[in-house]
Amino acid sequence: MPMIETYRKQAKLLVRWHREGNYSVGGKLRMLDRFQDVTDREALDMALPLTLAQEIVAVEAGFADWAALKAGAGNAAGPSPEKAPVLAAAVPILFVRDVTAAAAFYSEKLGFAIDFLHGKPAFYGSVSRDAACLHLRFVGQPNFTELAAREGSLILATIETGNVKALFEEYKAAGVEFAQGLVKQAWGGTDFHVRDPDGNVIAFVQYRRV
């Protein structure tokens, strides 16, 4: 069990990472329930006082909050489990030939915000719209285009929406290329597929709730 001073140092380090623009701060901030929908870019734009960093460190260590951490740090038995592990949202990583151009496509055509572009020229980036987030990674020659054509419909990411018809009409008006139009599926959902300039197919779906 680390001593309380170790936890204090971890919190100060998190504040320093935030000040330096380290995008890993976003993932740590999303461990707090009230910040689950915050993007990496939004996490860096907001204030990160030491008290908030301490709360993050406490939750990461398995405590309810900083006060509980301080109370339990001297207990050799360690903290009592507060709740079962909960997985956060997955972030698909798409392989693209030009990260900047791909980010522009998702921004201009699909209404995503560009969270960050890393490198000069950019070799990694992130785009997000509402709670949906996609990461973009540069590769010399994406190999999914040929595979997707051979398989017919190879989906790289599925994004759920509450009004799939309205989103389809929005993208149709923007001149987006569809790998599949709006279809009501036998399994109960309604979806459509978008193909990006690198051949990555993204499915947008609305599930029928029972």
Side-chain angles (χ1 to χ4, degrees):
M1 169 72 67
M3 300 299 290
I4 186 64
E5 187 58 33
T6 300
Y7 289 122
R8 287 197 177 99
K9 290 179 180 178
Q10 291 176 358
K12 291 177 181 178
L13 179 61
L14 189 58
V15 171
R16 193 185 79 189
W17 283 355
H18 180 270
R19 185 171 60 248
E20 293 173 349
N22 188 322
Y23 283 97
S24 65
V25 172
K28 292 184 176 295
L29 186 64
R30 286 189 290 271
M31 289 190 298
L32 305 184
D33 290 342
R34 64 186 183 279
F35 294 115
Q36 284 184 351
D37 296 332
V38 171
T39 66
D40 291 342
R41 181 64 265 172
E42 290 170 341
L44 293 180
D45 288 341
M46 64 182 285
L48 184 69
L50 182 59
T51 52
L52 180 55
Q54 289 173 336
E55 182 182 0
I56 293 170
V57 168
V59 171
E60 189 175 28
F63 294 89
D65 52 34
W66 184 251
L69 182 148
K70 287 199 299 182
N75 182 356
S80 300
E82 295 293 330
K83 55 185 177 180
V86 177
L87 301 183
V91 179
I93 301 176
L94 306 180
F95 294 164
V96 300
R97 292 163 294 184
D98 185 321
V99 171
T100 301
F105 167 80
Y106 281 94
S107 173
E108 297 165 10
K109 292 291 189 178
L110 303 188
F112 281 64
I114 299 176
D115 300 320
F116 69 86
L117 297 174
H118 186 68
K120 294 182 180 181
F123 61 86
Y124 200 88
S126 172
V127 294
S128 62
R129 175 168 174 170
D130 303 320
C133 181
L134 298 171
H135 282 193
L136 309 171
R137 184 187 187 281
F138 168 77
V139 293
Q141 184 176 353
N143 62 349
F144 287 112
T145 303
E146 180 182 347
L147 181 59
R150 187 167 66 247
E151 295 293 330
S153 179
L154 186 65
I155 298 171
L156 274 298
T158 297
I159 299 175
E160 185 177 357
T161 178
N163 192 337
V164 70
K165 184 177 180 180
L167 188 63
F168 176 77
E169 294 298 331
E170 175 189 330
Y171 289 170
K172 184 178 179 180
V176 172
E177 177 187 355
F178 295 106
Q180 174 201 288
L182 193 63
V183 175
K184 187 174 183 179
Q185 302 289 357
W187 40 263
T190 301
D191 68 349
F192 67 89
H193 302 169
V194 168
R195 180 180 289 108
D196 74 9
D198 292 282
N200 297 305
V201 175
I202 313 298
F204 294 87
V205 59
Q206 181 174 0
Y207 294 107
R208 183 179 64 194
R209 303 301 182 188
V210 292

